[in-house]
Amino acid sequence: MAALSLCLTVITVSLLLTLRADGAGQNPDHVLQGTGVKHEARRPGEDSTIAPEDAARFLSCYCSGHCPDDATNNTCQTNGQCFAIIEEDEQGEAILTSGCMKYEGSHFQCKDSPKAQTRRTIECCNTDFCNRDLQPTLPPVAPAGNVLLTTAQRFRCFFRYKWQAERQRYHKDLEQEVFIPAGESLKDLIHQSQSSGSGSGLPLLVQRTIAKQIQMVRQIGKGRYGEVWLGRWRGEKVAVKVFFTREEASWFRETEIYQTVLMRHENILGFIAADIKGTGAFTQLFLITDYHENGSLYDYLKLTTLDTQALLRLAYSAACGLCHLHTEIYGTQGKPAIAHRDLKSKNILIKKNGTCCIADLGLAVKFNSDTNEVDIPLSTRVGTRRYMAPEVLDESLNKNHFQAYIMADMYSYGLVIWEMARRCITGGIVEDYQLPYYEMVPSDPSYEDMLEVVCVKGLRPTVSNRWNSDECLRAMLKLMSECWAHNPASRLTILRVKKTLAKMVESQDIKI
Ligand SMILES: *[C@@H]1O[C@H](CO)[C@@H](O)[C@H](O)[C@H]1NC(C)=O
Ligand SMILES: *[C@@H]1O[C@H](CO)[C@@H](O)[C@H](O)[C@H]1NC(C)=O
Ligand SMILES: *[C@@H]1O[C@H](CO)[C@@H](O)[C@H](O)[C@H]1NC(C)=O
């Protein structure tokens, strides 16, 4: 597998652009000539997640080589970013072109280029006509040393996938698969790519190959974004999330976040592959992850009661996952801080041994302190209304301040541990499973319903008297109350929560 890595690295960026172009159907330049067209209106169902709308945020950019058909005066408009790209053509000449990039996926595409081997560099910016001043330079020539591919093959491989090459051919070429030797488990493959590569996941062609070889077994879930299927790859069970075409922004975002360097963590759902199939209206977007037969925390708590040990194990492992997301790791091989923005019991999965992992990163926001760049979403009103922090409901959240999203996650985490605590038996007593605010709002609460309860009346989920007479539940109650405080600045950070829970775990002598 490593043998193919050069080719694979070379095509990584191009493939992503290509995949997106493929998916767009009629207009292969769709991604780059973003029109900011609004997605069709959505009607979220019960407790479903609400995606950011494609807000009309029009930016004018200079275009050359990537002008939309109706462009005048070398100007295009987008809801995303302006870009300039330099790349080498088949004669080895550097060609500089520029244009508009659609919002969806733009962060992904603008950032992938520092991985130098591709002989193309893209730079983006986001003020009117800013791309006139961009001067991207070609990266150094990729080193030789690929053992499987001959020079000619490598050459073909590179140019075949080149962004500006004949687009008709992309589709056919994408049918290409790599050979994965029998006996390689997904765990082996991922382990190998972790130790040899950038640590951000399997090479794209390996991902596509795995995706194509998966048998779909049965549907196991359904949501706003699409469906989840149980799949099988060479006998191993995997979960396949199939996104609706209109949800491609979520697919892009989730794929992007999962492929962030150092994202892997035992309490974050394990990413295996992303893929895209078909064209136009029939595009299907796939995300393949580890499969956890015990389902979501929501399903689990409905069926199961907990003892103190099980409660602490769930709360602590979820905190570890969230802590990994929230924490920035510095350095070139670092990891940005990430806020989830849709934390709820339905987005947390239960592993076999009773620990959890956090899933559903389709709305996540990233922050990198090096570049001081907040990946600002287009709308603050996203997530699941029932779990929205007061500042999200009343729209007082400062969109430009990354820490605000982090603290909104903490509020949602507080609600999740309330759901867990109800199911913990003490003195033979336990509450039935309920969603937060179940007795205060209707089953598909509106913003107004939630705003009234959470902000105006300042209510929080009801707590049973028995919690005060149990040491563990009393401590959990204190923790959740400090997470769901009205004032975001008074909430605990996930690091504090994790430390507190670690102490409780230790004093109970529980193995996590
Ligand atoms: C064309 O664009 C340039 C700046 O890019 C501007 O100076 C010029 O006035 C524009 N012409 C028309 C006809 O809009
Ligand atoms: C997960 O489900 C399996 C089979 O239904 C069961 O044996 C196992 O105990 C469950 N795991 C947990 C942590 O409850
Ligand atoms: C649960 O499984 C993970 C591996 O998936 C392991 O790292 C962890 O130590 C296990 N925890 C317990 C309590 O067995």
Side-chain angles (χ1 to χ4, degrees), residues 445-490:
S446 64
Y447 283 113
E448 290 68 28
D449 296 331
M450 294 310 304
L451 191 70
E452 177 72 13
V453 167
V454 176
C455 303
V456 179
K457 296 188 180 149
L459 299 176
R460 289 298 180 269
T462 341
V463 166
S464 156
N465 280 335
R466 74 169 172 112
W467 294 17
N468 283 307
S469 48
D470 178 81
E471 192 193 348
C472 175
L473 286 182
R474 208 170 42 237
M476 294 300 281
L477 176 57
K478 180 161 185 286
L479 218 51
M480 65 185 85
S481 309
E482 289 176 331
C483 287
W484 67 41
H486 183 84
N487 178 2
S490 331

Side-chain angles (χ1 to χ4, degrees), residues 135-258:
Q135 294 184 323
T137 51
L138 278 175
V141 182
N146 191 299
V147 292
L148 251 195
L149 301 178
T150 65
T151 306
Q153 279 170 329
R154 231 165 38 220
F155 194 73
R156 271 210 308 277
C157 170
F158 169 53
F159 286 109
R160 190 190 297 153
Y161 286 95
K162 224 167 64 91
W163 187 29
Q164 276 193 307
E166 293 163 75
R167 294 181 183 95
Q168 251 65 16
R169 285 167 58 196
Y170 282 145
H171 207 99
K172 188 169 125 274
D173 289 337
L174 288 172
E175 296 305 315
Q176 188 181 333
E177 295 186 19
V178 289
F179 174 69
I180 303 174
E184 294 272 19
S185 70
L186 290 168
K187 214 172 145 192
D188 293 342
L189 290 171
I190 287 165
H191 184 76
Q192 284 165 25
S193 80
Q194 292 291 106
S195 44
S196 66
S198 62
S200 57
L202 292 170
L204 262 157
L205 210 47
V206 175
Q207 291 188 25
R208 288 191 68 96
T209 303
I210 291 170
K212 281 212 205 74
Q213 295 174 350
I214 282 172
Q215 286 169 269
M216 300 290 247
V217 179
R218 64 168 189 276
Q219 191 183 322
I220 51 175
K222 211 176 161 138
R224 159 196 68 89
Y225 51 80
E227 298 167 351
V228 182
W229 284 66
L230 167 64
R232 225 172 242 286
W233 184 77
R234 297 187 179 175
E236 288 182 69
K237 287 178 181 169
V238 294
V240 184
K241 191 164 162 185
V242 187
F243 291 75
F244 296 129
T245 308
R246 64 159 195 264
E247 290 299 332
E248 65 188 324
S250 298
W251 176 83
F252 249 107
R253 175 43 61 105
E254 195 162 8
T255 302
E256 175 190 12
I257 298 275
Y258 273 125

Side-chain angles (χ1 to χ4, degrees), residues 187 266-267 290 292 309 313 351-356 510-512:
K187 214 172 145 192
E266 65 175 293
N267 303 116
D290 290 344
H292 297 290
Q309 200 171 332
R313 187 175 287 170
K351 305 218 280 188
K352 244 192 174 113
N353 63 11
T355 56
C356 4
I510 300 169
K511 193 183 164 298
I512 298 277

Side-chain angles (χ1 to χ4, degrees), residues 62 72-75 129 132:
Y62 177 71
T72 52
N73 199 11
N74 289 91
T75 302
F129 300 106
R132 294 193 90 130

Side-chain angles (χ1 to χ4, degrees), residues 265-286:
H265 184 274
E266 65 175 293
N267 303 116
I268 306 282
L269 178 61
F271 170 80
I272 299 168
D275 193 22
I276 190 164
K277 282 184 194 163
T279 53
F282 301 102
T283 308
Q284 280 188 304
L285 306 148
F286 297 89

